[in-house]
Amino acid sequence: MYTDTSDAPEPIALRLEAVSKSYRTGTARVPALREVSLSVPAGTFTAVMGPSGSGKSTLLQCAAGLDTPDSGRVLLGSTDLSRLRRRTLPAFRRDHVGFVFQSYNLLPQLSVARNVILPLLLGGRSVEQDWLQYVLEAVGLTGLEERKPQELSGGQQQRAAIARALITRPDAVFADEPTGALDSAAARQVLDLLRHTVTDLGQTVVMVTHDPAAACSADNVLFLADGQLDGSMANASVRDITERVAYLGER
Ligand SMILES: Nc1ncnc2c1ncn2[C@@H]1O[C@H](COP(=O)(O)OP(=O)(O)O)[C@@H](O)[C@H]1O
Ligand SMILES: [Mg+2]
C-alpha cells in the first residue's frame, strides 16, 4: 500500500459556510439564520433541534436548495449551490436531494409506485426495477404499490414519501419534523426506517425534530438557538438531549 488513508478526512456530504438568511416582514427584517457553519459527514444521521422560530426549517431549506441564503455558501456533495443558476436549481434538487415533509406531500391522484418514481420520471431517468423493489421493501410497502395515498395510514404515507426521497440515491435526505403528524408507533417505524437508510444504505440524513426520543436515533444532534448554532452532541441519550434542550439559548 502506497497511501496511508488513516488520516484522510471523512467525506463531507453537506457543508454550510457562514450562512445567513433573513425574512422581510413589512419594513423590518427578521434574521432567521446568523452565520451558521457546519459539516455533515456522508453516511451519517443528523438531528437538528431548537425552540420554535430558532431557524430549523430555514436551515433545512437553505441546505436543500429550497431557499437561498442572503450570504454564505452551501455545498452539497461536490456542488456549490450558490454557483447554480436559479433555472438549474430545481433540476439539481430533483436529482440530488431528497426532501420529506411533515405533511407527506404525496400526489393524491397517483399510486404509491408512481409517487415513488416521480422524481425519476420528471428527470427523464429510467426506473431500475430492482432498486424500486428494494426501496419499496425497505420502507415496508411491498404489495401496496398500486394503492392511492389516501388508502394508506399516515405512517405508510410517510414511508412512501421516504421511498420517493431515496429513489434517486440523493446526496442527502432532508426531513422537517417527519414524525410530527404521526402517533408514537408510526413515528418509531419512520425513525427506524431513517436509521436503516443510513446504516444499511449509507444514505446521509438530516432531520429536524422537537422530540428528544426521535433525536436520539441520530448519530449527531445539532442545537439551534436564535438562528445560531448552539453546540452539538454525538450518540446522545434521550435524557442528555432533554436536559440540553431545556438550557438552549441560555448562554
Ligand atoms: N416566510 C417567512 N416570512 C417571514 N418570516 C419568516 C418566514 N419563515 C420563517 N420566518 C421567521 O424566521 C425565523 C425562523 O423560522 P423557522 O426557520 O421556520 O424556525 P423553526 O423551524 O425553528 O420554527 C422565525 O422568526 C420565523 O418567524
Ligand atoms: Mg420549522
Side-chain angles (χ1 to χ4, degrees), residues 51-58 102 176-177 208 210:
S52 183
S54 58
K56 303 181 298 295
S57 293
T58 305
Q102 182 172 330
D176 196 349
E177 311 221 19
V208 166
H210 270 113

Side-chain angles (χ1 to χ4, degrees), residues 131-142 145 159 193 196:
W131 176 238
L132 173 61
Q133 293 313 322
Y134 182 87
V135 167
L136 284 170
E137 167 133 30
V139 303
L141 292 178
T142 304
E145 300 88 327
R159 286 185 275 132
L193 170 58
H196 167 76

